[in-house]
Amino acid sequence: MSGGVDSSVAAWVLQEMGYEVIGITMKTWARDHKAGEKSCCGVDAVDDAARVAAQLDIPYVALDMEQVFRETVIENFQSEYFKGRTPNPCIVCNYKLKFGYLLQKAEEFGCDFVATGHYALMAESDGRLYVTRGKDEHKDQSYVLYNLTQEQLKKTLLPIGGYTKDRIREIAREQGFLRVAAKPDSVGICFVTDSYKDYLKGQAREKMAPGDMLDVKGSVVGRHEGIALYTIGQRKGLGVSFPEKTFVTNIDPDKNTVTIGQREDLLRWQMEIRDLNWMGLAPQTEPFEALVKIRYHHKPVTARCEPMGERMRVVFFSPQEAVAPGQSAVLYDGDRILAGGIINKAY
Amino acid sequence: MAYFDYNATHPVSQKILAELPGWAAYWQNPSSRHRPGQRVRGKIEEARETIAACLGVLHKEIFFTSGGTESNHLALQGLSSCLAPGSLILSSPTEHPCLLGALNKLKSRGFQIQLLPVDCNGVVTADVLKKHIHKASLVSLMQANNETGAITDLHSISSLCREAKVLLHTDAVQALGKMELDLSLVDAASLSAHKIGGLKGTGALFLRTGLKPEPVFLGGEQEKGIRPGTENSLGILSFAAALKERSVLSPSVSELRDRFESGLYALGSGYFQINGGSKRVGNTSSVTFFGFDGQSLVLQLDMAGHFVSMGAACSSGSVKPSPVLIASGLSEADAKSTLRISFGCYNEASEVDSLLHSLRNILGLG
């Protein structure tokens, strides 16, 4: 329970379904962290979640997960940026913390399942469990759950995936969770208050190594402040001005260069994904077609998927902008997640 | 469902609940000079006399406050006005956080603060104090610890202070109602009503005659100007009633505590230890369950309907290991494996047995 409206109502839904429920907040931030004041999982979140738990009359605990959060989610976030990639910390947090560390804790408490307030549903066929898109198409969060294993899914409940966000807020008001009902939707990364760039500058300024900024032909057109501060598709804050709109089109960690170009230079026909997780589909060896989503706010597009062992080559039917290494690519068949992995390179 | 968290707070006494509707008549402001106002004044003074009598002190030595935290602040900040600027104040790292907070404030005002080393029970002994007292001007040591129940030997501490002409304050919030208090040993003592069955938001500071501390709040004549603000009449009445009813711990409560501890030993030895030593108030058990996560235990016991804490209630929101236990020599891991189980007058033997039964299951002792 993050102290937000989704997990609060999730607890209520489970109780209505007849589950014996306990509330847990993953306390990932201490009071003195600036970010903790802003978003979920800080001290206010604990108060709000505890209050909802009391209203539901369920046992509640705030687990101190500051250290494990720092060592897994934040470490990964920083190191990925310094490798010139664009990480998705929510996916790491779900896999390693919510359905990793927390699941293990829950088992210690004698619980059979971990439930979250994600807008996604679960289904089973041919002996495989998988996540499907939530009913509220604007809120669907199935994307961030693609890497859960079958073992994890067996112990997962997603109680609010069948509701719309509006309905969830309405239930919260009906149940008297007025403060959480009135909270704005959380946006962005929970531990970053302003921009991820300011965050990285604050955390690891000494690791920033300025280098050359190139155009697509390889000519030096300026300097960059350190590759960690750039992401594929980025337009603002490049420190150079051209008559046409200019974007980051490539980041080369080995040469410490950032390449910029026009919108058409962002287009990629193919990508390779690694760390494959087969979910709704048993591991394949033959190519197949799927809808592929390459970032959280991306409308899935059709592509041909060619499994190559631990990796997969994905060929888009139409070229895609800003295919950023480090982001996750998730393969769907309609609403059902088939598989997913992390974008390794695009070309 | 059974409550074993009496050190966090005591349920409001049944007797007081029965009397409350009658007290509703005393809503007037005791500072008003009309008869109804003065009638309330009379009830407050009666309560002051009752409390003073129960504690064996003079009624004019009792000053009402909003509770233990305020009493501690008033005592330390107030008494510091009687001390030479920059002088040394001695205390202990196992004091309640609100007292440590008051000390920090004094530090920022130029006083020297020294937290003395404690023994393995978390207590400052006279031997330790003896080495430091000659330079000090004020000593503040709690009578009984809120987490472990460990008792400070104020007899020997007091004679050292008297000899050295050093003021002695004690935070007696957790000792009140659980042991015989001898306030003749100290110059100031902090007390709270809700730990003995009174209403929350009420406390008192005992101040020996002759001490004139500077108030924390300014601009009113209530409580002889030491604690301005309209008196919390109902709280004060409840405090007196609670103290009259519960000035010492009923032997049946310590019997329940002992029943619990011997029950633990009967489950086997080597998997737990009881903290605080042999000199403890009779209702408190601080138990370290080696290798178990205290938070998990609290939650699992909650699920089974037994309500206990990890350390002090105030610090349960954070999950830092208890400074009291760390200062007493426990490792961080052991401190995080520690539960505080505190018994009270509404507990029953069957509840203790049921708690032991649940613990046996949770700890996997079959």
Side-chain angles (χ1 to χ4, degrees), chain A residues 20 22-24 27 59-64 66 105 108-111, chain B residues 1 293 295-300 302-304 316-320 336:
Chain A
E20 187 186 349
I22 65 171
I24 300 182
K27 205 165 142 287
Y60 169 81
V61 67
L63 287 181
D64 184 353
E66 268 181 76
K105 276 283 176 192
E108 269 176 50
F109 299 151
C111 299
Chain B
M1 299 283 180
D293 175 23
Q295 266 194 310
S296 305
L297 292 177
V298 169
L299 187 72
Q300 285 171 282
D302 184 336
M303 290 164 79
S316 291
S318 67
V319 210
K320 303 282 168 266
K336 284 185 171 180

Side-chain angles (χ1 to χ4, degrees), chain B residues 167-186:
Chain B
L167 289 174
L168 175 59
H169 163 257
T170 189
D171 173 354
V173 167
Q174 289 291 349
L176 187 67
K178 295 176 191 146
M179 60 181 281
E180 290 280 358
L181 280 186
D182 185 354
L183 295 187
S184 73
L185 300 174
V186 300

Side-chain angles (χ1 to χ4, degrees), chain B residues 184-206:
Chain B
S184 73
L185 300 174
V186 300
D187 301 296
S190 301
L191 307 163
S192 172
H194 79 95
K195 305 285 190 192
I196 57 167
L199 299 179
K200 289 165 189 67
T202 311
L205 180 65
F206 157 74

Side-chain angles (χ1 to χ4, degrees), chain A residues 94 99 118 120 131 141-148 158 279:
Chain A
N94 283 325
F99 298 99
H118 283 108
V131 174
Q141 291 173 314
S142 57
Y143 174 81
V144 295
L145 298 170
Y146 81 90
N147 58 350
L148 299 188
L158 300 171
M279 188 181 260

